[in-house]
Each structure stands twice: as structure tokens, then as C-alpha cells.
Amino acid sequence: MVINLITFASILHKQASVRSSHEVILTELEKYFTVNFIDYKDIDKLSPDDFSIIFIATGGVERLVIQHFESLPRPAILLADGMQNSLAAALEISSWLRGRGMKSEILHGELPETIKRIFVLHSNFMAQRSLFGMRIGVMGTPSSWLIASNVDYLLAKRRWGIEYTDVSLDRIYEYYGQITDDEVGEACAGLAGKALACREASPEDMIKAMRLYRAIKRIVEEERLSAITLSCFRLIDQTGTTGCLALALLNDEGIIAGCEGDLQSVFTMLAVKVLTGKNSFMANPSMINARTNEIILAHCTIGIAQTEQFIIRNHFETEIGIGIQGILPTGDVTIVKCGNESLDEYYLSTGTLVENTNYINMCRTQVRIKMNSPADYFLKTPLGNHHIMLYGNYEDILEEFLQANACKRIE
């Protein structure tokens, strides 16, 4: 792991004395990282992909730093061990930066804690850089009922570096029509053989759903998409099937795929994947018990790799096509949702998946979760309908990342 240490030192201090004055902290850093010492005059030689820390080596550098304001890495991570009045200068600089809207943090204190903090900050930096330039395909338009789930494409690109790109459903219909039943027959049989059971759906339903998956995957490859959100219900009239199977298979292949054209939820799923490496479950909160802090999440698709077993069903609302009823393992989970048009708000909590339910009047995959925070959030201040569940407790990692990007937590 490489750290670029952008060094600001007063001209009153010789470079040799700067090194000797900070020998303890610099030696410790070099035990864990490859440290490149960058003179502040060479700051423009660094690229946005270089992880950089601003080393305040002496006092008296406040003006030097603000003169290079436009070139400073963002967020501004200031390292100051207190020697040569470095901490005093860092405090002044941090205050000035924050007053101009730049997030700033000072690394100072016990060396083991400083090292740990650098690892966290590097992880956040790498996740942010991974998101930069990723393309989310919006296939069709958001479902009409998602009135609170819009995203401003330009604001999202400015904040996160991601690009939403519209894809006409006509392309899906064209490719769907070009795929023959024979081309997908073997894949259908293979998937059916792995299922615990096949219920309402017919072999013809399976073939249509697999053809749709192949058509969408072709567009994903052509457009170099990292994620998609699909206007599922609008597909039905033209194809006679739903997108549930396609989304399940794409998620298993590492292409983040969400339902109903929900722009906020697909970004949340993508951020979760970049930060944790985990796939996630996009679902409706279908029942909420504020007294016991329990919720039931339900939807008709989930990545099959997230399940212990799965049953091939039809789609709940329309009773056609292919739906996936996943049987999920119990244990710790994290619930998260990024919201607002610029994706600058979020909900985050943890809980325990205690039961797979099987209500006949809900979507096919259903889980009951005992929340570790008040479930009345969903009734009082929800960030829309869909929320994202992933296995494990990732609250600290997600909180750190979202706070680093100046997002507001909704309780």
C-alpha cells in the first residue's frame, strides 16, 4: 500500500532537520506502507488515483497550504505529530478548509491508532475511486409509483463520480426476439436442476425468462455497465415475462441489478458491493412491528448465490414469468439505503435475520429481521420504499464511508 506524503515545511527549517524532527512517526509509517515523500511544489504531479496525506511538518505553513487549495487531495487528511509546531498549524489549516466546504481530518495521537486510521481512510479512498466512472444502466424508466426515489444524474456524478445512462427498452425487445429457445434450453435445465422445487412456473416461462436474461446481458456488455436498474413491469406486455430471473443471475455474476427502475437503490447496492465485496438483497419492507422492532423484507428476486436453497416460482403481483423464492441463512445483517436526489442522505442499521416467512400475499423471498435500532424509522422518516440488506455487520464501514462523503444519516 502506497502513501504519498505531501510535505509542507517552512523555509526556515532545513529538509534534513524535518526528517530528524519526525523520525518516530515516519519510521512507523514506513513499517506498514510504502511512503513517497512529495514536496508541496510537486503536488500537481499526483493524479486523482494517488492516495495522498498532507504532512504538516512545521508551523508557519498555513499560507503555503491555502495557496495550493485547488490542488489539495479531497478529503484533506492532515498528518501532524506535534513536533515543530506542526499540530498548531494543522488546526488552523483544518478550520480554514472546513470553512470553505472541504472535509478535513487531522491524524494525530497514538501511533497504533494513527496507523489503523490510515488503513480505514485508504479503504474509503479506494472505494470512492472504484465508483468513479462506473456506469449504471437505466433500462426503461423508474416505475410510476417510485415518487420519492428519483436521482439527479448530474448531482450524482458530481458527488460520486458515477454515470447514469438511459437504455431504451426497445433494444431489449430487439435482442430478446433474436434469441431462440434452443439457445437457452440447456441453461434452463441446469438452473431447474439446482432448485429445491419448481412450483407455479412452466418450462415455457423459464425459457422466456432466460431469453430476457441473455438480452439484458448483451446490453450490459455492449454498454460496459457496472450496474443496471430495470423497468420490470413495462417488459411484461412485450415479452410475456418478468425480469426477476435476469436480475438474480446478473447479481450472481457481479453485475449489480435492481428492480423497478429504482435509481437510489441500485446505487446503494453498487456502493455496498464496492465497499464490502458483498452482494445484497433489494426488498420492500412489507410488515413492520414497531413494538418488537421487527420487519419483514420481501421481493421476487434475489441473487441465488445469497441463498441456502431456492424455489422457482412465478412473479407475485402478475402471477406470470419466473420469480425466485430464496431460503436465506439466519444471522447478522445490515440494512442500508441511500436517498435524496443527490444521494446525500442515508439510513443504516443492523439486525438479525431470524426467520424465512412464507406469506401467500407477499413477494416470494421473505425474511423476518429483528432490528437493533427502532423500527419506527420506517413509519416516521423512511427514505422511500426499497431498502437493501446484506449479510454481516458492516455498519462501521458504511458509516465511515458515507460520513466521509458528507452524507446525512436519517434515524
Side-chain angles (χ1 to χ4, degrees):
M1 175 176 155
V2 176
I3 294 177
N4 295 283
L5 215 56
I6 304 169
T7 305
F8 285 87
S10 169
I11 59 174
L12 300 177
H13 294 76
K14 295 180 180 179
Q15 191 65 33
S17 68
V18 168
R19 173 77 201 202
S20 61
S21 298
H22 304 283
E23 189 68 37
V24 173
I25 191 169
L26 296 180
T27 299
E28 190 69 12
L29 288 176
E30 289 170 336
K31 289 180 184 177
Y32 296 92
F33 314 113
T34 299
V35 180
N36 294 332
F37 292 91
I38 309 295
D39 187 270
Y40 71 89
K41 297 174 184 176
D42 296 324
I43 192 171
D44 289 331
K45 296 180 180 179
L46 295 171
S47 79
D49 292 323
D50 292 318
F51 178 63
S52 302
I53 294 175
I54 302 166
F55 179 34
I56 306 301
T58 73
V61 299
E62 293 85 346
R63 288 284 170 190
L64 284 177
V65 174
I66 67 175
Q67 287 168 10
H68 290 80
F69 174 71
E70 294 299 332
S71 300
L72 295 178
R74 285 156 170 77
I77 307 165
L78 309 177
L79 176 66
D81 62 358
M83 302 296 117
Q84 303 288 347
N85 287 324
S86 58
L87 181 58
L91 293 167
E92 192 75 10
I93 292 164
S94 179
S95 178
W96 189 89
L97 293 175
R98 287 184 290 106
R100 281 138 189 89
M102 183 189 291
K103 191 168 180 64
S104 173
E105 176 178 343
I106 300 172
L107 298 175
H108 175 79
E110 297 177 348
L111 290 179
E113 293 304 312
T114 297
I115 298 300
K116 285 168 59 177
R117 185 66 185 152
I118 290 173
F119 276 111
V120 171
L121 293 168
H122 182 266
S123 177
N124 285 343
F125 173 81
M126 294 304 295
Q128 180 67 66
R129 294 308 301 168
S130 295
L131 282 173
F132 189 85
M134 283 189 168
R135 291 162 54 81
I136 299 175
V138 183
M139 297 187 169
T141 57
S143 296
S144 60
W145 50 85
L146 295 180
I147 58 175
S149 300
N150 193 36
V151 167
D152 185 300
Y153 288 12
L154 179 59
L155 292 178
K157 186 171 185 177
R158 285 178 177 173
R159 173 176 287 275
W160 298 104
I162 59 168
E163 180 181 349
Y164 285 90
T165 182
D166 293 326
V167 177
S168 171
L169 291 180
D170 289 337
R171 283 180 67 186
I172 297 179
Y173 303 148
E174 178 186 353
Y175 292 166
Y176 176 82
Q178 294 172 2
I179 299 167
T180 67
D181 293 356
D182 289 342
E183 290 179 69
V184 299
E186 185 176 347
C188 290
L191 182 65
K194 297 175 183 176
L196 178 64
C198 298
R199 293 198 175 155
E200 303 90 349
S202 68
E204 181 183 359
D205 293 328
M206 177 70 83
I207 286 173
K208 288 181 179 179
M210 192 67 73
R211 287 171 58 200
L212 181 60
Y213 154 70
R214 293 282 179 89
I216 294 172
K217 185 175 180 181
R218 179 176 170 183
I219 295 173
V220 167
E221 293 170 347
E222 289 177 352
E223 295 292 331
R224 298 174 291 105
L225 301 175
S226 299
I228 67 160
T229 182
L230 182 64
S231 184
C232 322
F233 286 83
R234 291 183 58 200
L235 291 167
I236 295 171
D237 289 341
Q238 292 286 334
T239 64
T241 190
T242 59
C244 305
L245 179 64
L247 301 183
L249 296 178
L250 288 168
N251 275 307
D252 282 350
E253 294 173 3
I255 304 299
I256 302 304
C259 316
E260 301 174 38
D262 188 331
L263 306 177
Q264 296 176 3
S265 291
V266 72
F267 170 78
T268 307
M269 296 171 76
L270 185 59
V272 162
K273 180 71 171 183
V274 165
L275 273 167
T276 70
K278 296 273 189 176
N279 285 337
S280 53
F281 174 40
M282 170 184 170
N284 302 323
S286 297
M287 292 183 71
I288 298 160
N289 188 325
R291 181 182 61 82
T292 62
N293 290 326
E294 290 182 322
I295 65 172
I296 291 179
L297 297 179
H299 235 192
C300 279
T301 185
I302 185 170
I304 292 168
Q306 296 178 57
T307 71
E308 289 185 326
Q309 296 176 310
F310 70 98
I311 300 169
I312 295 174
R313 304 286 303 273
N314 63 5
H315 181 244
F316 165 64
E317 285 95 340
T318 61
E319 296 186 347
I320 63 174
I322 297 293
I324 302 296
Q325 180 177 1
I327 311 301
L328 309 188
T330 57
D332 293 342
V333 296
T334 302
I335 311 296
V336 61
K337 171 69 179 290
C338 296
N340 206 359
E341 288 195 353
S342 58
L343 298 168
D344 61 355
E345 295 182 341
Y346 68 100
Y347 168 76
L348 178 61
S349 186
T350 57
T352 304
L353 196 162
V354 296
E355 179 187 10
N356 289 270
T357 59
N358 194 23
Y359 293 99
I360 61 171
N361 55 352
M362 290 184 192
C363 293
R364 302 310 187 189
T365 296
Q366 307 169 18
V367 292
R368 187 189 307 276
I369 297 170
K370 175 74 172 178
M371 301 295 295
N372 294 331
S373 60
D376 61 359
Y377 146 81
F378 294 97
L379 304 177
K380 293 180 178 179
T381 55
L383 288 176
N385 168 24
H386 298 125
H387 282 66
I388 308 304
M389 184 203 87
L390 66 152
Y391 288 106
N393 185 335
Y394 291 95
E395 183 171 12
D396 290 346
I397 292 173
L398 292 167
E399 171 78 2
E400 178 72 43
F401 178 72
L402 293 165
Q403 284 293 310
N405 285 280
C407 296
K408 178 184 177 183
R409 186 166 182 169
I410 305 299
E411 303 286 354

